[in-house]
Amino acid sequence: MARLGGGRAADEAEWVAFAARRGGEGLIYAVASTGIHCRAGCPARTPLRENLRLFGTVQEAESCGFRACKRCGGGVER
């Protein structure tokens, strides 16, 4: 699978919050190596930092080719 692009890299504070599962509300976390986007606090395995991309909305992440996580729904209201 090709790595997906788009979004922006996490700064130090965002990375620490994400890794501790206390991510910022309103941010969509995407993993470039898997093509999945997650909501803050998703219980899925923590990715390598260089694979983490941040988006402002689900639509931005999906327009870059990411799909919703099957564990947390990717921030999409069900």
Side-chain angles (χ1 to χ4, degrees):
M1 173 188 276
R3 284 176 50 109
L4 296 175
R8 65 177 176 81
D11 64 26
E12 185 64 26
E14 290 167 330
W15 170 252
V16 169
F18 174 79
R21 308 249 190 289
R22 303 181 323 249
E25 293 301 318
L27 287 177
I28 300 298
Y29 299 93
V31 182
S33 59
T34 62
I36 294 171
H37 66 81
C38 297
R39 65 169 171 73
C42 178
R45 186 174 144 192
T46 303
L48 296 175
R49 184 174 180 173
E50 63 261 21
N51 290 331
L52 185 67
R53 307 302 301 159
L54 301 178
F55 291 91
T57 66
V58 169
Q59 292 77 19
E60 289 174 14
E62 290 180 350
S63 71
C64 288
F66 293 93
R67 69 165 179 83
C69 173
K70 291 182 180 178
R71 289 187 80 176
C72 72
V76 178
E77 293 297 321
R78 294 181 180 187

